[in-house]
Amino acid sequence: ESRIYAVAKSGMRLSEVAMVNESSSCFSNFSCSTSGPFTHLIYRNVTVPVYTTLKGKATQISNVPFLDESSGSDDDCGSHASFRTSTAGSENRKASMPGSPRAVKRGVSVSSLSSESDYAIPPDAYSLDGDYSEPEHKLQRTSSYSTDGGICTEPMEKSGYLLKMGSQVKTWKRRWFVLRNRQIMYYKSPSDVIRKPQGQLELNSSCQIVRGEGSQTFQLVTEKRTYFLTADSPNILEEWIHVLQSILRVQVSGPVGVPHSDAKPTVKGWLTKVKHGHSKLVWCALIGKTFYYYRNPEDKCPLGHLPLRESKVEEVDRSCDSDEDYEATGGGLVSSHCTLVIHPQDQSPTYLLIRTKQEKNTWLYHMTVAAGSSNATVGTSYEQLIGKLLDAEGDPNSPLWKHPMLCYSKDGLHTSLTTLPSEALQTEALKLFKSCQLFINVPVEASSIDYHVSLAQTALQVCLTHTELQNEIYCQLVKQTSCRQPQNHSVIQCWQLLALCAPLFLPQHHFLWYIKQHLQRHADPRSEIGKYAIYCQRSVDRTVQAGEREAKPSRMEIVSILLRNPYHHSLPFSIPVHFMNGTYQVVGFDGSSTVDEFIQRLNQETGMRKPSHMGFSLFTDDPSGKNLEHCLPSNMKICDVISKWEQALKELHPGKYEGGTRIVKLTYKNRLYFRSQAKGETDRERLLLAFQVSNEIANGRFPVNKELALEMVALMAQVEYGDLDRPGSSSPGGTSQLKMQHLLHQVLDKFYPKHYKQNITPEQLRRLTDRLATKWMVLQGCSPPECIRIYLTVARKWPLFGTKIFAAKPILPSSLEDCPVWIAVNEDGISILDYNTMHLKVSYSYSSVLTFGGCRDDFMIVVSQMKERSSGKNSTEKLLFTMAIPKIVEATLLIASYINYHSSPSLLSSTQPSRSRTPAKKPWETENRCFLPSVPQSTKGPTLL
């Protein structure tokens, strides 16, 4: 794993750099999956997900590449194997037909016996109208303690069919699983249980259950490997998960009882949990109004949780208790430990043993607030005053608003305003106060604005790293802006820092209420400070609605806030979005705008359809300057994108940061192309699509012969430059002649395939420009929309029009030759093209794609193929390709997008063509990479007409 991450961090292997430069998209865009790999680290530490096809949908089963040993077992013995459908294998079933002694003895159902084969019938072969329920033979029930300490009478042993992802050929294998005595064994069929199992694993405290995307997969994570499992129906899967979590005493990682991945803990740390006389050191986190506990900080699935709403939380006075009531098993806990007790409604109490008084005070305060108690004796003096204001329902006439503790003071802070769990964080809180003071008290000047940018980014990054300080910085800034004379630059700059905090993160519990009250008391459109307060109100509301950010503010965001009052603009920031025809559109956004909202605004301003109707997406360039693009997930914040790009640029060029001159480049272009949606194209969409195709032709990623390439160049020249006027014959060497030659060379450099210009002689170049001039002048008077219509009509004659292609090299052993190829991905499936001629070698429809994504450092596609139609036998093949890791990510997400689009019949009416292993040559396929025959030159008009 460390090797994979090291390669991922570098972005690509050195041997692949040249390949990446050639493998740019034939078409690139559309909104990527929300669970894409760039959600957290978009420009570094890129990892490749793995998808499988279940019920016709692409379901992510891993967010990191497969290792060969993942889900490995004794029965996985090769990279090529065959499997039989439910109509085959009748001889094997004769021995165990329903009614036979063996079948009756083992309690095996008809449906179980119908598929005793090496490879599973895909789950989408079953009816989608209702859950497929298979009777299962359940072993003897045993009793066990439940997670609450009581007796659980649910079955602790179970058997039945599950589908297991193989270790070599990454596809689903149907196996008979038996759970007994905290062991799982699996066999090829129920009749094999008297034999040695094909695999087995021990269930112990290190095992974890992680639910996959959707409702029919889960991962069983052990110390040695990860098993990917699925069931024939959600009901069967839930039964297995229920039994496994009862044995392991863990909660499955899923929507029920598990915090959202974006949830921010109010406080966290190691505590000793004591219940029913049993103690265990666990990692605890208070998220919202729920107390979660885990085995370690990295776990995503908690061991359990306690609801704190209306619970009673208090400190236990241990001075008169015996130590044995609180001692841990196998080694006593000294009496110096502090103890808290949680009394949830209708549950027995849970005790928490805490090492230090500071930690105890922090947990006690935040859990008391989460429980809804108004205990005025917990927390700092500042927090107690906020609690009293809350009890008074924010009475504007309350004298508490002018309490010295809540108001501005010239004296610095000597202790934190909020309860913090450690000395280190208290020290950090005082450093944070000093940084804020420097930002506030030094006047902002345009010439030295980077000083304030650095201070703001440093302070806010500390708060993002140590979330416990987020309440603290809000309280410090509110105190600095309360009861203070407005005629001071320091007050304005303090409000500016508050305006930077509001879109980034929010305080919690009572503090959020207090911030809203503070903003309401100062909101006034007639004053400068009042305008900042109104902007902060809008930002807080937007953050509550859209969620918090991931990265500190970028330089662009901070400078915008410092140089103009954001109140005057509903969208205070703006950035250009570039198009494939060389134009751009400036689009506004705020601190919480997502990529989806940004694209909607862009489409409104440019007269384009929704992304789901035209397949366009937003891309960024790579900070390294390499020929790489990153598709942005629709739920990502634009400000986070800019900030992460800026930070990556700083890390790549330390000491030579170009933040003042170089910013992220956003490009809007096509990624998913569907023939059925071409009828509704707008003129703007056709124009951008034509320029995108032209770019692919110029870079040799679209098959045209020399003659057709020149005619298409002439069309694009007419669109870009208008009519070409030939200079008069009286001045062959005059200025106008030179200008025309310069223009023709410029057009060739921009639109003509570069590989056709290699090693060309000056005389050949002269003849080429003369032919281009002739074809161009034939188009005189032809309007740009008409030229674009002709251009796209011709380009769409290629059957793979709209394809996104990736340069790759097959890894042996493989059914493909050991030479570079193009992997082409489009709406019909995945095609393998010859690297030189772009002729089709083999294609696979999406219905035959079983698994795809990362496998170690390489790109993996697992496909099924019909070998003998008469016998109904299929073969399964795992194809591996050497590719650059960013391109593997792009291809994986693209395939998933197409498959999931196909899973919605209302969105796509076209049917999938069948796979062709040895396709016949088409008329448009010639050795010159031409997809249309040459057309005789006409003097009456463009040949393409």
Side-chain angles (χ1 to χ4, degrees):
E1 290 180 347
S2 61
R3 186 167 63 90
I4 290 176
Y5 278 95
V7 175
K9 188 170 184 179
S10 67
M12 67 189 76
R13 290 170 293 192
L14 294 176
S15 61
E16 298 168 346
V17 173
M19 184 180 296
V20 176
N21 292 333
E22 297 176 358
S23 64
S24 297
S25 63
C26 182
F27 289 146
S28 28
N29 288 354
F30 165 31
S31 56
C32 295
S33 167
T34 58
S35 58
F38 305 119
T39 302
H40 299 292
L41 293 171
I42 187 168
Y43 299 112
R44 51 198 178 95
N45 295 342
V46 177
T47 60
V48 184
V50 179
Y51 285 79
T52 189
T53 306
L54 290 174
K55 288 189 179 292
K57 294 190 65 176
T59 302
Q60 183 176 324
I61 57 175
S62 176
N63 57 3
V64 294
F66 270 163
L67 302 176
D68 283 346
E69 60 268 18
S70 293
S71 190
S73 60
D74 298 336
D75 64 328
D76 301 325
C77 55
S79 59
H80 300 272
S82 64
F83 74 93
R84 297 179 294 278
T85 64
S86 58
T87 61
S90 59
E91 293 182 0
N92 293 338
R93 294 199 299 272
K94 288 179 181 178
S96 300
M97 287 299 291
S100 69
R102 177 180 294 178
V104 173
K105 181 178 179 181
R106 301 194 182 280
V108 181
S109 68
V110 177
S111 56
S112 299
L113 290 167
S114 64
S115 54
E116 295 178 12
S117 55
D118 275 352
Y119 289 87
I121 299 172
D124 53 345
Y126 298 111
S127 171
L128 301 181
D129 297 334
D131 289 341
Y132 170 78
S133 181
E134 171 187 327
E136 294 185 320
H137 172 59
K138 293 186 179 179
L139 303 177
Q140 177 184 0
R141 294 186 177 191
T142 62
S143 63
S144 174
Y145 283 100
S146 70
T147 53
D148 291 329
I151 297 295
C152 174
T153 59
E154 293 297 320
M156 294 295 102
E157 300 185 354
K158 185 175 176 62
S159 65
Y161 273 114
L162 288 175
L163 278 65
K164 183 185 75 69
M165 179 70 70
S167 68
Q168 298 299 321
V169 181
K170 301 296 184 181
T171 189
W172 297 107
K173 297 184 178 182
R174 191 175 182 81
R175 294 292 179 258
W176 181 262
F177 279 74
V178 175
L179 169 60
R180 182 192 290 119
N181 298 328
R182 300 182 71 87
Q183 273 194 337
I184 292 182
M185 297 162 284
Y186 51 92
Y187 307 84
K188 195 170 183 179
S189 70
S191 60
D192 294 331
V193 295
I194 59 176
R195 302 191 181 107
K196 180 182 176 181
Q198 293 187 328
Q200 66 184 67
L201 59 142
E202 296 281 344
L203 298 176
N204 53 43
S205 59
S206 66
C207 294
Q208 291 183 349
I209 306 169
V210 180
R211 188 186 297 276
E213 182 184 336
S215 60
Q216 280 193 248
T217 64
F218 71 96
Q219 298 175 32
L220 184 56
V221 183
T222 68
E223 290 179 330
K224 294 183 179 179
R225 47 180 72 130
T226 298
Y227 292 82
F228 297 89
L229 304 169
T230 185
D232 292 328
S233 75
N235 289 343
I236 296 174
L237 179 132
E238 291 301 330
E239 290 177 10
W240 276 97
I241 288 179
H242 180 70
V243 174
L244 289 171
Q245 74 182 71
S246 298
I247 292 175
L248 298 174
R249 298 187 186 182
V250 300
Q251 298 292 326
V252 63
S253 176
V256 180
V258 176
H260 192 273
S261 59
D262 295 333
K264 179 175 66 177
T266 306
V267 60
K268 57 192 176 183
W270 289 102
L271 304 177
T272 300
K273 173 179 165 289
V274 181
K275 190 169 185 178
H276 298 298
H278 299 281
S279 66
K280 186 172 185 178
L281 184 65
V282 289
W283 177 262
C284 302
L286 176 61
I287 301 177
K289 297 182 182 297
T290 306
F291 176 86
Y292 295 93
Y293 49 97
Y294 305 77
R295 283 196 182 91
N296 55 67
E298 291 76 27
D299 282 0
K300 294 184 179 179
C301 46
L303 295 170
H305 65 277
L306 296 171
L308 293 182
R309 187 185 296 273
E310 298 183 1
S311 298
K312 186 178 179 181
V313 181
E314 58 186 359
E315 184 176 4
V316 176
D317 182 6
R318 298 182 53 192
S319 59
C320 58
D321 291 335
S322 61
D323 289 342
E324 64 184 10
D325 293 333
Y326 302 99
E327 285 182 352
T329 306
L333 290 167
V334 296
S335 58
S336 61
H337 278 70
C338 304
T339 305
L340 300 180
V341 60
I342 304 173
H343 291 272
Q345 288 186 333
D346 304 324
Q347 288 188 33
S348 55
T350 297
Y351 294 88
L352 302 175
L353 307 186
I354 306 175
R355 290 170 297 179
T356 66
K357 185 177 180 181
Q358 286 177 326
E359 288 181 279
K360 180 264 297 180
N361 290 339
T362 301
W363 282 102
L364 178 60
Y365 172 74
H366 289 293
M367 287 197 296
T368 300
V369 171
S373 173
S374 57
N375 188 346
T377 62
V378 297
T380 65
S381 300
Y382 194 92
E383 291 168 334
Q384 291 175 13
L385 286 170
I386 294 177
K388 291 178 181 178
L389 281 172
L390 183 61
D391 291 339
E393 298 181 349
D395 179 9
N397 299 319
S398 173
L400 291 175
W401 290 109
K402 296 185 179 181
H403 192 285
M405 176 61 70
L406 298 180
C407 295
Y408 165 74
S409 171
K410 293 183 179 180
D411 299 329
L413 291 183
H414 302 292
T415 184
S416 63
L417 297 177
T418 59
T419 304
L420 296 172
S422 67
E423 289 278 2
L425 282 173
Q426 289 198 3
T427 302
E428 203 65 43
L430 298 181
K431 291 181 180 178
L432 183 64
F433 177 75
K434 293 178 181 178
S435 295
C436 292
Q437 289 297 101
L438 288 173
F439 181 94
I440 293 167
N441 293 325
V442 177
V444 173
E445 296 179 0
S447 59
S448 58
I449 200 167
D450 283 330
Y451 172 77
H452 285 82
V453 170
S454 177
L455 283 173
Q457 288 182 333
T458 301
L460 295 176
Q461 182 60 58
V462 168
C463 295
L464 288 171
T465 304
H466 305 286
T467 55
E468 300 91 342
L469 294 174
Q470 292 177 7
N471 293 337
E472 177 71 23
I473 192 172
Y474 269 103
C475 291
Q476 290 181 7
L477 294 177
V478 169
K479 182 177 173 67
Q480 291 292 306
T481 53
S482 295
C483 307
R484 188 171 183 178
Q485 293 298 322
Q487 311 301 330
N488 193 319
H489 74 273
S490 297
V491 184
I492 296 293
Q493 290 174 202
C494 191
W495 278 100
Q496 289 173 337
L497 189 53
L498 193 57
L500 290 170
C501 288
L504 203 62
F505 50 75
L506 294 176
Q508 295 180 325
H509 302 308
H510 296 175
F511 301 108
L512 180 57
W513 172 86
Y514 181 58
I515 291 297
K516 289 183 176 180
Q517 293 292 317
H518 177 73
L519 297 178
Q520 184 61 41
R521 288 170 59 84
H522 288 81
D524 184 357
R526 297 169 298 179
S527 68
E528 193 73 7
I529 288 176
K531 291 176 182 178
Y532 276 106
I534 293 174
Y535 171 78
C536 289
Q537 282 182 313
R538 295 200 305 247
S539 296
V540 167
D541 292 341
R542 282 280 287 149
T543 307
V544 170
Q545 174 192 10
E548 299 182 352
R549 298 239 301 267
E550 298 174 1
K552 62 188 178 184
S554 64
R555 181 184 186 276
M556 182 208 72
E557 182 178 355
I558 297 173
V559 169
S560 297
I561 293 293
L562 293 180
L563 296 185
R564 63 180 183 179
N565 194 321
Y567 163 81
H568 300 288
H569 308 273
S570 59
L571 302 172
F573 316 120
S574 60
I575 192 170
V577 178
H578 298 264
F579 301 105
M580 294 303 294
N581 64 341
T583 62
Y584 66 89
Q585 175 73 40
V586 177
V587 183
F589 59 97
D590 62 22
S592 296
S593 293
T594 62
V595 170
D596 186 53
E597 294 170 338
F598 186 84
I599 289 176
Q600 289 180 21
R601 195 168 296 116
L602 171 63
N603 289 338
Q604 290 174 359
E605 295 177 0
T606 56
M608 299 172 70
R609 295 174 296 170
K610 295 179 180 179
S612 59
H613 294 166
M614 60 175 180
F616 274 59
S617 273
L618 196 64
F619 278 67
T620 74
D621 62 335
D622 193 85
S624 66
K626 296 175 182 175
N627 188 22
L628 294 173
E629 291 179 315
H630 302 277
C631 181
L632 299 179
S634 60
N635 65 336
M636 196 171 188
K637 306 281 197 308
I638 289 292
C639 283
D640 280 339
V641 172
I642 298 171
S643 176
K644 291 181 179 184
W645 190 95
E646 183 181 282
Q647 183 61 28
L649 181 65
K650 283 183 179 180
E651 294 176 2
L652 287 168
H653 305 286
K656 296 189 291 184
Y657 175 54
E658 307 170 73
T661 57
R662 188 181 171 201
I663 62 172
V664 60
K665 180 180 179 181
L666 300 178
T667 304
Y668 195 50
K669 59 181 183 178
N670 182 271
R671 176 173 176 259
L672 295 182
Y673 177 79
F674 301 100
R675 290 183 292 271
S676 60
Q677 296 177 352
K679 294 180 180 178
E681 288 175 344
T682 66
D683 289 342
R684 178 78 170 179
E685 291 168 24
R686 291 193 195 96
L687 175 69
L688 298 182
L689 196 59
F691 272 92
Q692 195 164 334
V693 174
S694 175
N695 182 67
E696 300 304 319
I697 291 176
N699 288 284
R701 294 189 294 267
F702 198 99
V704 290
N705 62 19
K706 293 182 179 180
E707 184 67 22
L708 183 58
L710 198 61
E711 297 205 15
M712 299 188 82
V713 169
L715 281 168
M716 294 308 297
Q718 180 70 13
V719 172
E720 183 83 349
Y721 301 102
D723 294 341
L724 176 67
D725 296 325
R726 182 179 289 276
S729 57
S730 58
S731 57
T735 305
S736 58
Q737 179 74 24
L738 293 176
K739 286 183 178 180
M740 188 188 77
Q741 287 297 320
H742 176 74
L743 179 59
L744 292 172
H745 284 286
Q746 187 176 341
V747 168
L748 287 174
D749 291 340
K750 187 172 183 179
F751 299 116
Y752 194 66
K754 293 179 174 58
H755 62 279
Y756 286 156
K757 290 182 61 180
Q758 291 177 352
N759 303 320
I760 192 172
T761 65
E763 178 60 24
Q764 290 173 329
L765 181 60
R766 186 189 63 76
R767 290 201 297 266
L768 185 64
T769 56
D770 289 343
R771 291 168 56 210
L772 172 60
T774 301
K775 294 179 183 293
W776 189 352
M777 283 189 291
V778 170
L779 294 168
Q780 191 165 13
C782 191
S783 66
E786 181 64 14
C787 291
I788 292 297
R789 184 192 64 79
I790 299 170
Y791 190 94
L792 290 180
T793 299
V794 174
R796 284 182 170 126
K797 297 296 182 181
W798 185 37
L800 296 181
F801 178 83
T803 289
K804 175 80 163 61
I805 62 175
F806 303 87
K809 186 176 181 182
I811 297 177
L812 300 179
S814 171
S815 59
L816 300 171
E817 298 176 2
D818 183 21
C819 59
V821 297
W822 294 108
I823 297 178
V825 181
N826 68 353
E827 63 174 320
D828 297 324
I830 304 170
S831 303
I832 309 299
L833 309 180
D834 182 271
Y835 191 80
N836 295 316
T837 65
M838 298 190 81
H839 289 169
L840 182 66
K841 287 189 170 187
V842 58
S843 63
Y844 306 94
S845 66
Y846 287 122
S847 60
S848 67
V849 176
L850 305 178
T851 311
F852 57 95
C855 183
R856 292 191 178 272
D857 300 344
D858 306 308
F859 181 48
M860 168 188 66
I861 308 174
V862 180
V863 293
S864 66
Q865 314 166 49
M866 183 72 73
K867 268 194 169 182
E868 301 176 20
R869 190 174 297 275
S870 58
S871 64
K873 290 185 178 181
N874 282 21
S875 68
T876 301
E877 183 179 10
K878 181 173 77 171
L879 303 172
L880 292 176
F881 300 89
T882 298
M883 290 171 58
I885 286 180
K887 292 299 176 181
I888 297 176
V889 173
E890 190 176 352
T892 300
L893 296 178
L894 188 67
I895 294 170
S897 297
Y898 271 121
I899 291 176
N900 289 334
Y901 190 94
H902 278 253
S903 66
S904 302
S906 61
L907 297 178
L908 194 65
S909 58
S910 59
T911 58
Q912 307 238 20
S914 59
R915 185 188 65 83
S916 174
R917 185 71 184 181
T918 55
K921 265 193 177 181
K922 306 296 188 298
W924 52 80
E925 291 181 346
T926 71
E927 296 304 319
N928 284 335
R929 297 172 69 176
C930 167
F931 67 83
L932 280 180
S934 296
V935 182
Q937 188 75 17
S938 169
T939 58
K940 295 183 179 180
T943 61
L944 296 178
L945 285 172

